[in-house]
Amino acid sequence: MSTSTGTGTPPATTADTDRLWSVDEHLDDILGKLRPLEPIELQLLDAQGCVLVEDVTVPAALPPFDNSSMDGYAVRVADVEGASEEFPAVLTIVGDIAAGSGELPAVGPGEAVRIMTGAPVPPGAEAVVPVEWTDGGTGGGRADAMTAGRPAADGDGPGLGEVRVHRPAAARAHIRDRGSDVGAGEIAVRAGTVLGPSQIGLLAAIGRASVTVRPRPRVVVVSTGSELVPPGEALTAGRIHDSNSFMLTACARDAGAIAYRVGAVDDEPATLRSTLDDQLVRADAVVTSGGVSVGAYDVVKEALSGLTAEEGRVSFRRLAMQPGKPQGFGRIGPDRTPLFALPGNPVSAYVSFELFVRPAVRALMGLPPFGDRRTVRAVCPQGVASSPRGRRQYLRGHYADGRVTTVGGAGSHLVKALADANALIVVPENVTSLAAGAEVDVVLLD
Amino acid sequence: MSTSTGTGTPPATTADTDRLWSVDEHLDDILGKLRPLEPIELQLLDAQGCVLVEDVTVPAALPPFDNSSMDGYAVRVADVEGASEEFPAVLTIVGDIAAGSGELPAVGPGEAVRIMTGAPVPPGAEAVVPVEWTDGGTGGGRADAMTAGRPAADGDGPGLGEVRVHRPAAARAHIRDRGSDVGAGEIAVRAGTVLGPSQIGLLAAIGRASVTVRPRPRVVVVSTGSELVPPGEALTAGRIHDSNSFMLTACARDAGAIAYRVGAVDDEPATLRSTLDDQLVRADAVVTSGGVSVGAYDVVKEALSGLTAEEGRVSFRRLAMQPGKPQGFGRIGPDRTPLFALPGNPVSAYVSFELFVRPAVRALMGLPPFGDRRTVRAVCPQGVASSPRGRRQYLRGHYADGRVTTVGGAGSHLVKALADANALIVVPENVTSLAAGAEVDVVLLD
């Protein structure tokens, strides 16, 4: 059969259309044709959730200097040996070190320096005694806090007084050694790591303001159909609201992409072509919905089936799955931007995104394509009365506690049931029904 | 003991400082003082991830009209009764209905109308036969696709020809009934639902362009410390890079908030106060790090301990946990904006965010505070040599396959180990060591 007899429909040139592709073949074809996005340098917080492509080494040891882990007093060990509340060691306070202090007073015999958490340990000091082990310089009993005896701007001066220390301290007590966190030259974060809050914290701590990562893909979402009206506007006869462009934009973000919703385009191939030409400049991938089946006005198929070699190539094919039988995939434009032409029925579009675009978005980011969804076995108390032979069926389900119930029927227009589902039930190609209580594979959607 | 002897330190007025609070008491105090943010109306895609506060009802049935689930021909059942490939029913094509068509040609006896998926079923038609059950109007064998016989702009005109139908069709075959997805007046999405891609799709499908949800909280992040230098700048003596403001901003986003990193503020109470005054206008919550302990320059404590009743109230307390013993929480400013004063050691700040701020962000969004982290039991092959009596310890761990190993030690400055961890190991208050191979509770961080 040929589809070339009508006006505007290009000849069916590819063998793709002649056979049924399996879900896995289609996915393999997609992933085999994608390359992760080129790395770019991003400010640290812009890189959150992205994959690092460089081994980041530590330029200088962390901590960069010996510092106190407590608010207290830097002392010499011999001076506090045998100290007790009854017989405290009485030391002369010769200085005060806040965190960030540059110039450090030395601690001589019989002397102590007030020191705050994180502040550098001064020369001569061998340990820090926490303020709770002292009288806090008050001459009273056990202290709960340091007094805020800020030194005068011109130096320490007299009047810092004495501190009574109630307990001995071992050498290096309450001192964090230079380099005890990570040493200079060590690898802080390895290439391939996804940057979460703690990795971003470490990178900042070693002084990195920016890092080289694979960016989030920019995904342009276009729905097609002359029947589509934006939500918020009234429907006239034969028209429905555009929902796919909203749903797929949300799907793309959920997968990690930066998504741009273009909205609905009429079933005019020239309009679609010019829209895509305009959008390609900001797209790392394009997702369309609708217009890929065997109808007479299947605009995506019509616009993209007959591209020249220079323009790219999009293959349209039939998949052995339900919903989502008609699919297109290819690469278009000067940068060979991947384009996913999903079917237009909302449930078909959703399932297709989940199976094909989500892994692709992850692959473009340099992430493992399948790392983010859990598939579990579950008991299906109702069973499945019928499933098409030779096609892998994805039914909507509600999963809880090892059991899954189907939600709505197989109809790919049932968006209410889709919104009520939290899982996809996978009925394999060779299974045409499932007995009540059978075990099934379930893809958890949240 | 009093801390009121120094300059600038307000008197310790609250009983909060006199006792050790448990982790749960502190968390209960926080959650008890938070109210979910006031709902606002947001464009559909801006509401992704937010909690709906209204029951959204369906204004008009979905689908809004009987429509075809296939590309094919709308026919009368009697006309195709007994049709076969050998003895096809030959019908006159009297029209063409694309999706979105408003005016519909009626189907009389012996007639058929070409119809595309989603297009309204015309008057007189009782079923749709898919194009694959016909010759597609070509006069040849079985068709794979519809020809693109677009009618002339001025109407159908002559020349639409005939179609041979090879199979009978049952009444209503391949017709999606009006309202078969969801009926007018039904609830589409219930109050309390988190809006994901499929709910957004449904809301668009029923025509909603905007919805009323609780917004994401805007969280302002301020780190404190005169020793802090932004990453990317060189360190001078005694200084370290600011990492907390980056890490906590990333944490806040990860929890669902819109986060604003203000960066580091010096240990000057007046500077901190004016920074907070400036920021409150864009804050639904404030997170500070550092300056909450017993040191002499604990700027957050100093700036916020002695607020007037009009200014708000922030309580500083000691918690029976490690790390994260010193904590502050309160509400400040004219809107009583929640403020979390976290300790400054990076690991302490991270763990504190995880335990206290993350649930609070979720509570502000109207989400269950603890719905997003999994706690599992795991075997700890190394055990834990010592854990402080009377304090709940959160050690960093690496979890895989039911086993967890500690990463780094208990030091709250070990940010490299934190970045290598994917879990927190919980050692209860009454446990001071764990034997090798003991079972522990583990909070999974991803």
Side-chain angles (χ1 to χ4, degrees):
Chain A
M1 293 300 111
S2 165
T3 60
S4 64
T5 52
T7 55
T9 305
T13 52
T14 74
D16 285 351
T17 56
D18 294 345
R19 68 179 182 91
L20 224 48
W21 287 54
S22 75
V23 170
D24 297 333
E25 284 176 322
H26 184 60
L27 184 57
D28 287 349
D29 181 53
I30 290 168
L31 294 179
K33 285 178 175 148
L34 295 180
R35 296 286 168 272
L37 297 182
E38 285 300 309
I40 59 174
E41 189 168 352
L42 289 180
Q43 293 293 310
L44 213 42
L45 282 171
D46 292 337
Q48 187 171 0
C50 294
V51 176
L52 191 69
V53 295
E54 45 170 348
D55 282 342
V56 175
T57 53
V58 179
L62 212 67
F65 45 82
D66 291 359
N67 71 93
S68 178
S69 69
M70 301 292 280
D71 298 313
Y73 296 84
V75 300
R76 298 167 78 102
V77 168
D79 286 344
V80 295
E81 203 178 335
S84 66
E85 204 147 347
E86 197 178 355
F87 301 106
V90 183
L91 305 176
T92 305
I93 303 173
V94 298
D96 195 281
I97 314 175
S101 293
E103 288 181 30
L104 306 178
V107 177
E111 294 177 347
V113 163
R114 288 154 42 95
I115 189 167
M116 305 309 146
T117 304
V121 174
E126 296 161 338
V128 169
V129 289
V131 62
E132 294 91 343
W133 295 8
T134 75
D135 69 351
T138 62
R142 196 174 80 81
D144 276 341
M146 309 288 281
T147 55
R150 291 171 187 270
D154 56 338
D156 297 338
L160 288 171
E162 291 176 345
V163 62
R164 278 152 218 274
V165 178
H166 301 152
R167 289 172 59 173
R172 311 302 292 170
H174 306 113
I175 293 176
R176 299 167 179 159
D177 293 341
R178 176 174 188 277
S180 57
D181 186 356
V182 64
E186 284 185 49
I187 293 177
V189 188
R190 287 192 185 279
T193 304
V194 181
L195 299 182
S198 62
Q199 291 79 29
I200 286 172
L202 172 58
L203 290 164
I206 65 168
R208 287 293 292 256
S210 61
V211 282
T212 307
V213 296
R214 297 197 192 279
R216 296 178 180 276
R218 298 159 301 162
V219 173
V220 163
V221 177
V222 181
S223 56
T224 67
S226 299
E227 75 277 23
L228 300 179
V229 173
E233 294 184 15
L235 294 181
T236 52
R239 301 201 150 215
I240 59 171
H241 285 112
D242 173 24
S243 62
N244 282 347
S245 72
F246 292 88
M247 181 186 69
L248 294 172
T249 300
C251 282
R253 284 189 192 159
D254 195 59
I258 295 163
Y260 302 119
R261 188 186 75 87
V262 173
V265 172
D266 277 355
D267 288 331
E268 276 301 329
T271 310
L272 179 61
R273 284 288 293 268
S274 81
T275 301
L276 294 179
D277 284 348
D278 284 353
Q279 293 290 333
L280 279 180
V281 69
R282 64 166 176 171
D284 296 311
V286 175
V287 177
T288 65
S289 74
V292 293
S293 190
V294 297
Y297 309 110
D298 276 333
V299 62
V300 177
K301 204 171 181 178
E302 199 169 331
L304 300 179
S305 279
L307 298 181
T308 65
E310 197 186 327
E311 291 169 329
R313 179 184 152 87
V314 179
S315 300
F316 293 89
R317 52 186 67 144
R318 291 175 300 135
L319 261 59
M321 66 181 280
Q322 203 271 319
K325 186 178 179 185
Q327 298 279 344
F329 171 71
R331 288 171 296 171
I332 63 167
D335 299 325
R336 290 294 181 267
T337 306
L339 180 138
F340 300 83
L342 309 184
N345 284 319
V347 179
S348 311
Y350 181 90
V351 171
S352 302
F353 189 100
E354 186 61 32
L355 294 182
F356 307 121
V357 190
R358 190 177 178 95
V361 166
R362 294 178 54 85
L364 290 172
M365 293 181 74
L367 292 167
F370 309 109
D372 60 334
R373 289 292 197 216
R374 282 193 303 150
T375 297
V376 299
R377 295 287 285 174
V379 170
C380 184
Q382 322 146 274
V384 173
S386 87
S387 184
R389 182 181 301 278
R391 293 171 75 182
R392 191 184 299 174
Q393 191 176 30
Y394 290 87
L395 290 167
R396 277 63 64 203
H398 192 273
Y399 172 86
D401 301 326
R403 296 162 75 92
V404 68
T405 50
T406 56
V407 180
S412 53
H413 67 300
L414 300 174
V415 295
K416 170 67 163 69
L418 178 64
D420 287 340
N422 66 3
L424 295 175
I425 301 170
V426 187
V427 185
E429 288 83 343
N430 58 352
V431 173
T432 54
S433 69
L434 283 169
E439 273 208 351
V440 288
D441 275 342
V442 172
V443 180
L444 304 184
L445 297 173
D446 49 17
Chain B
M1 293 298 110
S2 165
T3 59
S4 64
T5 53
T7 55
T9 305
T13 51
T14 74
D16 285 351
T17 57
D18 294 345
R19 67 178 183 92
L20 224 49
W21 287 53
S22 75
V23 170
D24 297 333
E25 283 175 322
H26 184 59
L27 184 57
D28 287 349
D29 181 52
I30 291 168
L31 295 178
K33 286 180 175 146
L34 296 181
R35 294 288 168 272
L37 297 182
E38 284 301 309
I40 60 175
E41 188 168 352
L42 289 180
Q43 292 293 309
L44 212 42
L45 283 171
D46 292 336
Q48 187 171 359
C50 294
V51 176
L52 190 69
V53 295
E54 44 171 347
D55 282 343
V56 175
T57 53
V58 179
L62 210 66
F65 44 82
D66 290 359
N67 69 94
S68 177
S69 69
M70 302 293 279
D71 299 311
Y73 296 85
V75 299
R76 298 166 80 101
V77 168
D79 287 341
V80 295
E81 203 178 336
S84 67
E85 203 146 350
E86 199 178 355
F87 301 106
V90 183
L91 304 176
T92 304
I93 303 173
V94 297
D96 195 281
I97 313 176
S101 294
E103 289 183 31
L104 306 177
V107 177
E111 294 177 345
V113 163
R114 290 154 42 95
I115 189 166
M116 306 310 146
T117 305
V121 174
E126 296 161 338
V128 169
V129 289
V131 62
E132 295 90 342
W133 296 8
T134 76
D135 70 349
T138 62
R142 196 175 79 82
D144 275 341
M146 308 289 281
T147 55
R150 291 170 187 271
D154 57 339
D156 298 337
L160 287 170
E162 292 174 345
V163 62
R164 279 154 216 275
V165 178
H166 301 152
R167 290 173 59 175
R172 310 303 291 170
H174 307 114
I175 293 176
R176 299 167 179 157
D177 293 341
R178 176 173 189 280
S180 56
D181 186 357
V182 64
E186 286 186 48
I187 293 178
V189 188
R190 286 192 186 279
T193 303
V194 180
L195 299 181
S198 61
Q199 291 80 29
I200 286 172
L202 171 58
L203 290 164
I206 64 168
R208 287 293 292 254
S210 61
V211 281
T212 306
V213 296
R214 297 198 191 276
R216 296 177 180 276
R218 299 159 301 161
V219 174
V220 164
V221 177
V222 180
S223 55
T224 67
S226 299
E227 76 277 22
L228 300 179
V229 173
E233 295 185 14
L235 295 180
T236 52
R239 301 201 150 216
I240 60 171
H241 286 112
D242 172 24
S243 61
N244 281 349
S245 72
F246 292 88
M247 182 187 71
L248 294 172
T249 300
C251 283
R253 283 190 194 159
D254 196 58
I258 296 163
Y260 301 120
R261 188 187 75 87
V262 173
V265 171
D266 278 355
D267 287 330
E268 276 300 330
T271 309
L272 178 63
R273 284 287 294 267
S274 82
T275 300
L276 294 179
D277 284 347
D278 284 353
Q279 294 291 332
L280 278 180
V281 69
R282 65 165 174 173
D284 296 310
V286 175
V287 177
T288 65
S289 74
V292 293
S293 189
V294 295
Y297 309 111
D298 278 334
V299 62
V300 177
K301 204 169 180 177
E302 200 168 331
L304 301 179
S305 280
L307 298 180
T308 64
E310 196 187 328
E311 291 169 328
R313 179 184 153 89
V314 179
S315 300
F316 293 90
R317 52 187 68 143
R318 291 173 301 134
L319 262 59
M321 67 180 280
Q322 202 272 316
K325 186 179 180 183
Q327 298 278 346
F329 171 71
R331 288 173 294 171
I332 63 168
D335 298 325
R336 291 295 180 264
T337 306
L339 180 138
F340 301 83
L342 309 184
N345 285 318
V347 178
S348 310
Y350 181 90
V351 171
S352 302
F353 189 99
E354 186 62 32
L355 294 182
F356 306 120
V357 189
R358 189 178 179 94
V361 166
R362 293 177 56 84
L364 290 171
M365 292 181 75
L367 292 167
F370 310 108
D372 61 333
R373 290 293 199 214
R374 283 193 301 150
T375 297
V376 299
R377 294 288 285 175
V379 170
C380 184
Q382 321 147 274
V384 173
S386 88
S387 186
R389 182 182 302 278
R391 294 170 73 183
R392 191 184 298 176
Q393 190 176 33
Y394 290 87
L395 291 167
R396 276 63 66 203
H398 191 274
Y399 172 86
D401 301 326
R403 297 162 74 91
V404 68
T405 50
T406 57
V407 180
S412 54
H413 66 301
L414 300 175
V415 294
K416 170 67 163 72
L418 178 64
D420 288 340
N422 66 1
L424 294 176
I425 301 169
V426 187
V427 185
E429 287 82 345
N430 58 352
V431 173
T432 55
S433 69
L434 283 168
E439 274 208 351
V440 288
D441 275 343
V442 172
V443 180
L444 304 185
L445 297 173
D446 49 17

